[in-house]
């Protein structure tokens, strides 16, 4: 068998070799993609090959490189077991995280999306060296943002080619480009570039803290905390009741009560929107029989919060009940027998045996449930959409919005004006909080300590 | 007793101080409430309630902590009451249109419950009395009565939990198809008149028909469907036999085989169905296509999760190479960044790769979130397997890869099923990424499709929505109840071990 080079050096060598292999494969893949693109692009097919071809060519290039590497460094094959997972993590988790960090410092948005603005399409009359003659005044028809279009990025299209170029200046209907195109362009588009804006997004978040961050954060904490508490309480009671082996039908009750866990949440949450309708909802119909006037479940800012918590209780208690039953099944019966022999009442053995032994398995469940609910986007977005509106708030951060739905609405909804950069900045704030919660979780559970062998 | 007096004293001082410092109006909400109502009984009840909360908070601890606890309890009580007051003010005293409103109806329910409890008490007394007489034993009436009350509680809870489900199922058979319907129901039963219980006189399949309007299913697909149904029946039958006879041989193998055949056929069916078969003009006629899309995505995500985590989990569990621990840490910490927080970046990445509105793109977007958890769970599972089998294989000259392939993989079926099912169910319910990536109506998943019904269209599509909810829930319901032991054991094992 083979031996790994020891210690930190061995780790760095292995990572370095793998990194070099991935980089080499990526370069070869890029080259192959570029070649394919050149081959496939024609007047009839101006788009060329789709961009994801790059992923395929890189993956194909990686395989022979890895085989060659394994011949020279046999111990590297251990790492190959981890490589698929590592590659996917790198491409679709680590890279997006890095990208999020980068975007948080830019003004990337619907207006600055890095793409050619199709509304700025302008016909090119003729080309003379570096100068384009357009069929209209350049500054207005290209909708330039800078005076005389200087430094704006444009896309030139013609003869089945698309090329980006930079404008030096514009005079009437003439454009002077930084670089002369090697073909005859027919149309020109201005590109909506986005740029580095420093801490502007974070300044916006904290400058408007009283209109969004603080109330949203407070409600987020209250929501997660109350959700965990209510589901855990009901789940604990039911779990303890159903754990009693002398209770007839206990398995039937258990099977029936997990129904709200068994149904897909994305469907049941939307079902609740109709059930909680003020005038026609099934819940208010039932309450009407009890002499309760129709409750504005989803229309009143405060009642909407109650609705979210109630629906989350309905959704979440079966998990807690099952967890309680699982934890209770690990308590050995001998303990109870010994207690009975010593003359303890059932209440005493519950107080002194069941509750203390439930604590250890329950703390990680509670913490992970808190972390889950802290970012529970589905229930907020599908039940209330963050609404109803609250006075003096940003339009993206309404009465029941939590941080994650605030970020989503900022980035992807009309009222947020597709401010991706700002949304990314909010995401980073959430990430910091989530990591904090998880660290507390690990500290409590000690899950990492035993790994450090 | 001393403690109670002490607590009451602290509470009284606190109330007075708070009144003096903050003044009447904004501070002690319960006092304001009582004062405004002018009801001495209510004022006393509220006072007692708030004091009770304070005293409960002071149940543990000693002197100065008691003071703090009483104050904290009073504060909490004050805020809770203020919230309750605001909630009450938001309700206008006007019954809903077209609803049955019974003033003070809760009193009847309360009396009803008391009557049932009394009846149960009489029943337990008689039953235990007769039983004790016959068996010459001394069983307590109260224990039996306690069980009866627990059943009463559980049955009520089950009814409450099922109430929304039953309402939606009933709506799916209601042809009016309008949430905002004023139609009155003529029935001798109050509960049916109040539309709390479904009205069985008007059952129609119209909503379901609208979901399948214009759908063309080819002959071979019907054959596949029939074969799959047969395999499922066989699996259910053998499952029933297994439950009755215990784990005996022909049935255990049969169940496994039948399930695999069913899974294979179902997967084939899902892959072979194409969007062109759904030619209906309305949006809802694409519903079955959405189900198919969702099933395709969910199973693909499940497979990807198993494929990616199998080797990684094995390496983490068995290999000891430099850098294993930091890598494990990286895996865990990277997972803390929930995939959808990077939504913006994933959207940017997918649009750069021309993968928007494709299943591949969405699958790749999901892949980030599934690796860490799966590897972690699988690693724990392998560690519980023990080394002896692999060592025997090494002595016989097997390589690491062979040992993994021939020994570990076959033993890992249960945990793979768990990882697969978890991803399957999770992806089925995923909304945020799917909503972002899949924009074309032919690529939608069930969740997005249903969302399109809810956005302001309950007036015309409520029944269709209900029917789609029922049909769309069935696959997950079947998976969940069919594999319940996997979910329960997988979750709880993880919970207890962590």
């Amino acid at each position: 068998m083979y031996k790994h080079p020891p210690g930190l050096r061995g780790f760095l060598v292995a990572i370095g070799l793998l990194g070099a292999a991935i980089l080499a494969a990526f370069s070869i893949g890029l080259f192959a993609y570029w070649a394919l693109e050149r081959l496939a692009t024609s007047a009839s097919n101006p788009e060329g090959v789709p961009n994801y071809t790059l992923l395929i060519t890189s993956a194909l290039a990686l395989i022979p490189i890895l085989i060659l590497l394994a011949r020279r460094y046999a111990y590297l094959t251990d790492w190959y077991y981890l490589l698929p997972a590592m590659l996917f993590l790198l491409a679709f988790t680590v890279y997006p995280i890095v990208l999020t960090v980068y975007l948080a410092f830019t003004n990337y948005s619907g207006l600055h999306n890095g793409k050619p603005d199709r509304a700025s399409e302008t016909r090119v009359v003729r080309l003379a060296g570096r100068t384009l003659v357009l069929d209209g005044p350049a500054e207005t028809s290209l909708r330039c943002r800078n005076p005389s279009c200087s430094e704006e990025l444009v896309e030139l299209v013609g003869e089945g080619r698309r090329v980006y170029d930079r404008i030096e200046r514009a005079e009437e209907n003439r454009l002077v480009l930084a670089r002369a195109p090697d073909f005859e362009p027919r149309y020109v588009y201005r590109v909506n570039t986005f740029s580095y804006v420093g801490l502007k997004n974070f300044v916006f978040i904290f400058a408007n803290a009283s209109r969004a961050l603080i109330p949203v954060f407070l409600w987020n904490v209250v929501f997660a905390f109350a959700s965990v508490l209510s589901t855990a309480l009901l789940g604990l009671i039911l779990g303890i009741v159903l754990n009693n082996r002398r209770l007839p039908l206990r398995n039937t009750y258990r099977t029936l009560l997990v129904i709200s866990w068994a149904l897909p949440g994305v469907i049941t949450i939307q079902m609740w929107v109709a059930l909680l309708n003020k005038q026609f909802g099934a819940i208010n119909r039932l309450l009407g029989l009890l002499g309760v006037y129709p409750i504005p479940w989803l229309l009143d800012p405060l009642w909407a919060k109650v609705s979210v918590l109630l629906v989350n209780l309905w959704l979440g208690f079966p998990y807690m009940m099952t967890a309680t039953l699982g934890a209770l099944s690990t308590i050995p019966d001998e303990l109870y027998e010994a207690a009975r022999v010593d003359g303890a009442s059932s209440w005493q053995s519950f107080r002194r045996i069941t509750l203390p032994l439930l604590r250890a398995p329950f703390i990680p469940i509670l913490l992970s449930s808190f972390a889950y609910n802290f970012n529970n986007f589905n229930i907020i977005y599908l039940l209330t959409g963050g609404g109803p509106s609250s006075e003096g708030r940003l339009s993206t951060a309404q009465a029941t919005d939590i941080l994650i739905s605030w970020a989503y609405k900022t980035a992807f909804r009309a009222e947020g004006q597709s401010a991706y950069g700002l949304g990314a900045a909010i995401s980073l704030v959430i990430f910091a909080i989530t990591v904090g919660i998880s660290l507390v979780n690990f500290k409590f559970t000690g899950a990492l300590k035993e790994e450090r062998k | 007793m001393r403690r109670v007096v002490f607590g009451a004293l602290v509470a009284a001082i606190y109330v007075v101080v708070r009144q003096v410092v903050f003044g009447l109006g904004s501070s002690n909400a319960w006092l304001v409430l009582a004062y405004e109502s002018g009801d001495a009984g209510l004022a006393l009840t509220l006072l007692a309630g708030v004091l009770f909360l304070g005293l409960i908070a002071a149940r543990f601890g000693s002197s100065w902590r008691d003071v703090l606890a009483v104050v904290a309890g009073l504060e909490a009580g004050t805020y809770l009451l203020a919230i309750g007051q605001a909630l009450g003010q938001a309700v206008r005293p006007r019954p809903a249109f077209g609803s049955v409103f019974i003033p003070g109806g809760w009193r009847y329910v309360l009396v009803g419950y008391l009557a049932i409890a009394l009846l149960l008490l009489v029943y337990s007394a008689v039953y235990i009395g007769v039983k004790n007489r016959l068996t010459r034993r001394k069983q307590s009436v109260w224990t039996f009565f306690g069980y009866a009350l627990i059943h009463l509680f559980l049955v009520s809870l089950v009814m409450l939990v099922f109430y929304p489900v039953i309402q939606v199922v009933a709506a799916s058979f209601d042809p009016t198809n309008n949430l905002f319907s004023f139609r009155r129901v003529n029935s001798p039963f109050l509960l049916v008149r109040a539309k709390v219980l479904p009205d069985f006189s008007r059952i129609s399949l119209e909503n379901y028909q609208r979901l399948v309007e214009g759908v063309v299913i080819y002959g071979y697909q019907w054959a596949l469907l029939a074969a799959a149904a047969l395999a499922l029946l066989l699996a259910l039958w053998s499952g029933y036999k297994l439950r009755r006879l215990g784990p005996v041989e022909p049935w255990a193998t049969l169940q496994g085989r039948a399930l695999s055949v069913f899974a294979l056929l179902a997967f084939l069916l899902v892959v072979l169905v194409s969007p062109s078969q759904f030619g209906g003009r309305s949006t809802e006629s694409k519903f079955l296509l959405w189900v198919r899309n969702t099933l395709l995505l969910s199973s693909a995500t499940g497979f990807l999760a198993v494929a990616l985590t199998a080797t990684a989990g094995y390496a983490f569990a068995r290999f000891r190479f430099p850098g294993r621990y930091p890598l494990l840490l990286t895996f865990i910490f990277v997972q803390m960044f929930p995939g959808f927080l990077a939504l913006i970046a994933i959207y940017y990445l997918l649009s750069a790769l021309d993968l928007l509105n494709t299943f591949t793109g969405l699958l790749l977007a999901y892949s980030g979130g599934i690796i860490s958890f799966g590897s972690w769970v699988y690693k724990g599972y392998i560690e519980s397997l023990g080394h002896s089998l692999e060592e025997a294989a090494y002595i016989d000259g097997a390589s690491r890869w062979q040992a993994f392939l021939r020994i570990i993989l076959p033993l890992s079926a249960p945990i793979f099923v768990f990882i697969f099912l978890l991803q399957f169910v999770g992806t089925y319910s995923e909304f945020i990424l799917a909503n972002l990536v899949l924009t074309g109506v032919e690529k939608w998943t069930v969740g997005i499709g249903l969302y399109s019904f809810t956005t302001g269209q309950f007036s015309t599509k409520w029944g269709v929505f209900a029917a789609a909810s029922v049909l769309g829930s069935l696959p997950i319901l079947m998976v969940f109840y069919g594999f319940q032991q996997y979910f329960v054991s997988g979750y709880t094992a993880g919970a207890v071990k962590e």
Side-chain angles (χ1 to χ4, degrees), chain B residues 423-459:
Chain B
Q423 287 313 325
F424 187 90
V425 172
T427 310
Y428 202 96
S429 267
E430 206 282 334
F431 177 79
I432 177 167
L433 270 175
N435 187 36
L436 196 65
V437 174
L438 303 175
T439 45
V441 68
E442 298 203 326
K443 295 278 164 116
W444 280 359
T445 60
V446 173
I448 311 174
L450 284 173
Y451 190 65
S452 81
F453 294 158
T454 63
T455 34
Q457 295 190 10
F458 272 144
S459 50

Side-chain angles (χ1 to χ4, degrees), chain B residues 17 26 95 103-104 155 175 295 339 366 435 437 452 495:
Chain B
V17 168
S26 67
V155 169
L295 289 175
Y366 285 148
N435 187 36
V437 174
S452 81

Side-chain angles (χ1 to χ4, degrees), chain B residues 285-432:
Chain B
S285 66
K286 302 262 190 287
F287 173 72
L288 287 181
L289 181 64
W290 302 337
V291 174
R292 173 257 185 190
N293 291 346
T294 318
L295 289 175
L296 188 69
L297 258 173
S298 304
S299 42
T301 312
F303 281 127
L304 188 69
V306 170
L308 287 179
T309 55
T311 53
Y314 177 64
F316 277 134
R318 286 292 190 252
F319 297 172
R320 287 292 176 271
F321 49 87
R324 173 181 164 278
Y325 182 68
L327 206 61
L328 199 61
L329 272 191
T330 317
F331 265 56
I332 292 165
F333 275 89
V334 159
Q335 190 205 11
M336 273 179 222
F337 194 95
F340 54 83
L341 280 188
L343 272 179
I344 297 141
I346 285 176
Y347 186 81
Y348 180 90
L349 181 64
L350 291 182
S351 87
L353 287 172
D354 289 340
L355 281 173
L356 282 183
N357 199 23
T358 62
F359 294 140
T360 321
L362 188 56
L363 188 64
L364 293 177
Y366 285 148
S367 74
I370 58 186
I371 291 170
S372 305
F373 178 74
S375 315
W376 182 257
V377 168
Y378 187 49
K379 170 186 153 296
Y381 179 81
I382 295 181
E383 277 168 355
S384 74
L385 281 181
H387 288 271
S388 53
L389 281 172
E390 284 161 277
E391 271 157 16
Y394 289 142
I395 290 169
D396 289 346
S399 69
R400 269 194 161 154
W401 178 246
Q402 281 168 328
F404 172 62
L405 215 59
R406 300 273 165 79
I407 297 187
I408 298 293
L409 272 191
L411 286 175
S412 308
I415 197 75
F416 283 159
V417 172
F418 172 66
I419 294 174
F420 177 86
L421 288 178
L422 208 64
Q423 287 313 325
F424 187 90
V425 172
T427 310
Y428 202 96
S429 267
E430 206 282 334
F431 177 79
I432 177 167

